[in-house]
Amino acid sequence: MKIFLKNCLPGDAGDSERQFDIPDLGLMSISDALQYIAQAHDPRLGYYLSCRRGLCACCTVRADGEVAMACVTPVKEGMVIEPYRKDLVVAGTVVDLSMARKSRFEFSLQERCECRRETGSHACG
Amino acid sequence: MKIETIPTLRRVDIAVIGSGGAGLLAALEAAAQGRQVVVLSKGQVGRSGATATITGDVSVDGTAQKLLGLRGDSRDDAQAFFADTMKGGAYINDPALAQAMVEQVGEEMEKLVRLGLKIVGLGHAPGHRSPRGVLVSGMQILQILTRQAAAAGVQFRDEFYATDVLIDDGRCVGVAGVDLRTGEITGVLASAVVIATGGGAMVYPVRTAPSELVGDGYRMALDAGAELVDMEMVQFLPCCLVDPPMWRGIQFPWILGPQSGTRAWLLNRYGERFMARYDPERMEMSTRDKLSIACVREVLEGRGGPSGGVFMSWAHLPRDVLDFLPQWYGKPLLHSGWRWEGFDFAPLVERIQNGHAVEVGPAAHFHMGGIRVDVDGATCVPGLFACGEVTGGAHGANRLSGNACSQFLVQGARTGRAARRFAGGADVGPLSSRTWLRAMERIAKPLKSRPEIAPHEVVKELQQTCELNLNVVRNGEGLAQAVADVRRIREEQLPRTAAGAGAATPYNRAWIDALEAESTAVTVEAIALSAARREDSRGAHFRLDYPDSRPEFDINQVVRLREQMLECVGKPREDRRSGEALS
């Protein structure tokens, strides 16, 4: 099965899509596919997975343009996967959906300043 | 990456590792009286840990239920709840932990209800003599506790993978780990540290638990000098899906079957209704542990299905029987657009209605064993505390339904208060460079070489060990093999895994996998050593070579680190009362 990742890996720019082959192991979720790609092709592909049953929503991505929870959405031939929201990207497909963004601890005050400067709208501090 | 320099780490009073129910409650209680508290979470706050997966019950006795505005039943009380909990635990529970849990869960729940937690029903689960299952949503508990903790001044750091509790001169001084947002190694200094990282069910290939639960807390506690107890006691849920990958570990067939009173049959590959051999009276309506054991024995004896499970079949029932399910289960199910948790199971239901069987097996669900603590969450290491599923003792050899929530509510609150008191009197000196560099070296080790074996391959091998020899059905030969296998993997395989020099990037899965593989390996070894030493069957631990419980094993197995090696020793059951320290 071929799928495409858009704006998911370091160096991705514009709307370029990267193609990946994943094996057909029966019904697989988008999370299964992301895990396979990170393990077999590129460990820099950040993905996030917790409950694996559509409750915590931390794995939310955009699949073929639609917002989807990756753990409960079947991956399909030719699917294009991208981060749910560009402005919330932490790394790879991981987006910042924390319930405690407004009370975030930073490891050093210096880091907090740099973080603000580099990412602008990023929800630090 | 430079590891020679010691960074200037920020200092707080209390650092809590883990942002599930236990960690959030501990943080909330610890933050009173102006204490500075930080919650460090491997995932995202409010969206990670096993609390998020709760769509079920908190056990509260009938009398205490009146506190929650429920009708309650005065004939039930904390004493009866205690007796059921000890019986369920085959009497190896730490009575002080069990007692605090049953006596104080009512008041902790009352606080949550006052803060807006909705009670959606009351259930009666097996093992409880009366209905004690107060039904709530785990996600709502997380929302309420996060909001309260933030209002109390608690700060949060999501996406920080805590890997090491820093110990100087035998006492706890802080936490080190990887900031997954940047790929940097960093940490925080703290007078008290609370481990609330949950269990380790991810060491099994089929499991219900969320993916963070690889046993990080067990490894950190052992490295810090604390002990683990009852690690052989792993709870499994029967009749979960084993295939396809997306559905693995989901207990949907159980819901469509025995849970809703639909008399589906369990069949082996020859079509035999095998429960007749294990529990002829109750058959498929037997208890969860008996069902799990029966299903695995059928597979071990060569009568399983192609994916390592057995078959659940509705074919003997009228094809339209599932149409009545909403009525019997008491919830709207199977309507158009309907989801079970997040899943669209319409294709599976259609297959069942067309007469197909579904392959099912037990899934690792909860760890009764864990870090040895007193009733206030204190370990034997000064300044190191633990609460929630990561601790052992409250449930003994098996846990009753709903008691996991009761445990984290009571332990979380008590541990937070104890950590606050401890931090009030503590005076932590500067971190020694030796301590920091040792942690740094361990965390950075996977960055120093190219992998000969991918970290996830090692994890897979450890999971196979668990599936083969540390599963629901165990025997002496298999347990000895498991000990040998995990030690071989730790000595020969783990040192050859790595992530590579370029892996210090944000959310680098190879680095995360390499560090998680260490936790997985330690967890598996602790389970294997404890299970091999327990030559009897009780609770969740079932051995074919010792199928009955034996009085000489009315003891707890304790695992600790000695001379860089894990050792397991038997220890007489706890009989200390509330408030006494660990012996």
Side-chain angles (χ1 to χ4, degrees):
Chain A
M1 188 191 298
K2 287 180 180 39
I3 63 165
F4 301 90
L5 299 186
K6 195 165 134 183
N7 295 322
C8 291
L9 281 157
D12 281 1
D15 286 335
S16 67
E17 289 171 4
R18 298 187 197 226
Q19 181 185 312
F20 290 94
D21 277 315
I22 53 172
D24 185 2
L25 304 172
L27 185 63
M28 281 171 76
S29 66
I30 295 174
S31 296
D32 292 326
L34 293 174
Q35 182 178 46
Y36 176 81
I37 294 169
Q39 290 177 348
H41 296 296
D42 195 335
R44 298 173 307 159
L45 173 62
Y47 66 91
Y48 184 34
L49 185 58
S50 181
C51 78
R52 299 180 295 125
R53 54 184 66 202
L55 295 172
C56 73
C58 71
C59 62
T60 302
V61 295
R62 205 170 279 276
D64 289 337
E66 300 285 325
V67 177
M69 281 189 272
C71 68
V72 292
T73 307
V75 66
K76 293 198 187 90
E77 174 72 40
M79 192 177 250
V80 179
I81 296 159
E82 57 190 314
Y84 156 54
R85 265 177 59 177
K86 277 184 188 170
D87 58 329
L88 293 179
V89 168
V90 177
T93 62
V94 183
V95 287
D96 191 350
L97 298 176
S98 167
M99 291 189 197
R101 266 186 277 165
K102 288 178 183 156
S103 307
R104 185 159 285 150
F105 177 87
E106 296 299 342
F107 289 103
S108 72
L109 297 173
Q110 191 192 349
E111 179 188 329
R112 182 189 293 179
C113 299
E114 281 174 5
C115 196
R116 283 217 173 109
R117 192 172 63 239
E118 282 169 16
T119 55
S121 65
H122 205 284
C124 280
Chain B
M1 174 172 295
K2 279 184 292 182
I3 65 160
E4 296 78 20
T5 51
I6 300 170
T8 315
L9 300 181
R10 277 182 70 184
R11 181 179 293 280
V12 296
D13 294 312
I14 298 125
V16 177
I17 310 172
S19 64
L24 290 173
L25 252 175
L28 174 59
E29 291 287 345
Q33 296 165 2
R35 294 274 184 277
Q36 251 201 311
V37 180
V38 63
V39 172
L40 305 166
S41 177
K42 182 158 74 165
Q44 290 182 1
V45 174
R47 298 189 189 277
S48 52
T51 308
T53 67
I54 297 168
T55 50
D57 45 343
V58 183
S59 302
V60 180
D61 73 70
T63 300
Q65 282 169 25
K66 295 176 195 294
L67 289 172
L68 312 178
L70 297 171
R71 195 152 56 94
D73 181 351
S74 307
R75 288 167 300 178
D76 185 33
D77 59 12
Q79 205 183 336
F81 185 8
F82 178 77
D84 290 348
T85 298
M86 295 298 290
K87 187 181 175 200
Y91 302 102
I92 59 164
N93 324 45
D94 180 334
L97 297 191
Q99 192 188 335
M101 175 175 80
V102 302
E103 286 178 354
Q104 288 157 33
V105 61
E107 57 193 88
E108 292 305 328
M109 264 297 274
E110 188 200 0
K111 288 181 204 166
L112 285 176
V113 170
R114 254 191 280 131
L115 292 167
L117 181 65
K118 283 195 187 69
I119 295 174
V120 295
L122 185 69
H124 188 175
H128 290 286
R129 68 185 72 178
S130 61
R132 297 194 184 115
V134 179
L135 298 172
V136 297
S137 145
M139 282 300 284
Q140 206 202 353
I141 291 180
L142 291 178
Q143 285 158 9
I144 291 171
L145 289 177
T146 303
R147 192 178 64 219
Q148 289 301 115
V154 173
Q155 289 204 299
F156 297 86
R157 185 52 203 250
D158 309 87
E159 295 154 323
F160 176 74
Y161 182 8
T163 59
D164 288 73
V165 173
L166 300 168
I167 301 289
D168 252 354
D169 297 329
R171 58 157 300 171
C172 182
V173 293
V175 179
V178 181
D179 180 357
L180 299 177
R181 298 172 74 95
T182 61
E184 283 169 14
I185 298 171
T186 183
V188 62
L189 300 178
S191 308
V193 171
V194 178
I195 299 179
T197 49
M202 282 299 288
V203 306
Y204 287 85
V206 182
R207 63 271 160 160
T208 66
S211 55
E212 301 93 347
L213 271 61
V214 299
D216 292 318
Y218 305 138
R219 191 192 50 69
M220 279 190 275
L222 286 169
D223 281 346
E227 297 172 329
L228 308 183
V229 66
D230 299 337
M231 286 299 284
E232 72 275 30
M233 300 303 177
V234 180
Q235 184 172 58
F236 291 81
L237 289 186
C239 305
C240 296
L241 289 159
V242 292
D243 228 17
M246 189 166 99
W247 291 345
R248 196 166 289 152
I250 302 294
Q251 213 194 12
F252 185 62
W254 168 265
I255 306 299
L256 287 187
Q259 180 82 53
S260 57
T262 310
R263 301 290 175 112
W265 285 351
L266 282 167
L267 305 176
N268 62 23
R269 78 158 69 156
Y270 303 118
E272 293 169 313
R273 203 178 159 200
F274 59 82
M275 281 310 293
R277 282 199 286 278
Y278 303 92
D279 190 349
E281 214 162 291
R282 290 181 293 183
M283 300 294 279
E284 289 83 3
M285 307 301 277
S286 184
T287 53
R288 302 194 295 193
D289 49 341
K290 282 207 169 67
L291 282 165
S292 295
I293 290 168
C295 291
V296 171
R297 288 188 73 168
E298 289 300 306
V299 174
L300 288 175
E301 289 164 23
R303 298 187 291 275
S307 302
V310 293
F311 299 99
M312 186 168 262
S313 170
W314 288 257
H316 60 291
L317 296 166
R319 293 286 161 95
D320 61 353
V321 71
L322 291 183
D323 295 348
F324 307 112
L325 203 68
Q327 205 177 327
W328 294 337
Y329 191 58
K331 276 186 193 170
L333 296 178
L334 311 177
H335 52 83
S336 128
W338 167 80
R339 292 277 188 280
W340 170 255
E341 297 180 339
F343 294 100
D344 174 10
F345 276 127
L348 187 77
V349 172
E350 199 182 313
R351 275 182 65 78
I352 292 169
Q353 284 167 329
N354 287 331
H356 293 275
V358 176
E359 202 173 344
V360 297
H365 180 56
F366 184 88
H367 219 137
M368 275 71 73
I371 303 172
R372 198 166 160 251
V373 291
D374 73 6
V375 75
D376 287 319
T379 69
C380 58
V381 179
L384 182 61
F385 296 80
C387 55
E389 188 185 345
V390 78
T391 68
H395 312 295
N398 213 346
R399 176 180 67 79
L400 300 184
S401 180
N403 282 19
C405 299
S406 310
Q407 176 191 16
F408 83 65
L409 288 173
V410 173
Q411 283 190 331
R414 288 192 70 122
T415 304
R417 291 193 282 267
R420 184 221 304 158
R421 286 194 298 271
F422 183 92
D427 183 23
V428 183
L431 177 68
S432 81
S433 58
R434 190 174 45 90
T435 299
W436 175 256
L437 291 177
R438 199 173 48 205
M440 189 83 169
E441 195 173 332
R442 209 189 64 74
I443 302 168
K445 204 175 72 187
L447 305 173
K448 287 189 175 153
S449 52
R450 291 186 60 76
E452 292 173 58
I453 310 167
H456 68 268
E457 294 293 340
V458 178
V459 171
K460 207 165 155 189
E461 205 173 325
L462 288 162
Q463 288 173 341
Q464 279 163 357
T465 296
C466 283
E467 185 173 36
L468 210 57
N469 290 317
L470 298 172
N471 214 322
V472 172
V473 176
R474 303 167 177 180
N475 67 67
E477 203 180 321
L479 292 170
Q481 186 64 48
V483 172
D485 283 345
V486 66
R487 288 198 160 150
R488 175 183 52 77
I489 293 168
R490 290 191 70 186
E491 280 160 29
E492 295 171 17
Q493 309 279 89
L494 267 183
R496 292 164 61 205
T497 67
T505 58
Y507 260 100
N508 188 291
R509 291 309 309 195
W511 196 11
I512 298 170
D513 288 349
L515 293 168
E516 287 194 338
E518 300 265 352
S519 297
T520 305
V522 169
T523 303
V524 175
E525 186 170 344
I527 297 171
L529 289 173
S530 306
R533 235 187 142 276
R534 176 172 285 285
E535 294 179 338
D536 81 341
S537 292
R538 69 174 68 212
H541 176 74
F542 176 73
R543 281 180 68 151
L544 284 170
D545 47 353
Y546 296 101
D548 301 306
S549 80
R550 302 162 71 199
E552 59 267 47
F553 283 92
D554 285 352
I555 57 174
N556 298 105
Q557 310 293 342
V558 172
V559 173
R560 59 195 179 199
L561 198 58
R562 286 285 181 279
E563 314 282 328
Q564 314 269 328
M565 285 282 284
L566 289 189
E567 66 168 25
C568 179
V569 292
K571 198 173 185 323
R573 282 184 296 181
E574 299 288 353
D575 59 357
R576 64 197 158 81
R577 288 182 308 233
S578 263
E580 285 178 25
L582 292 179
S583 52

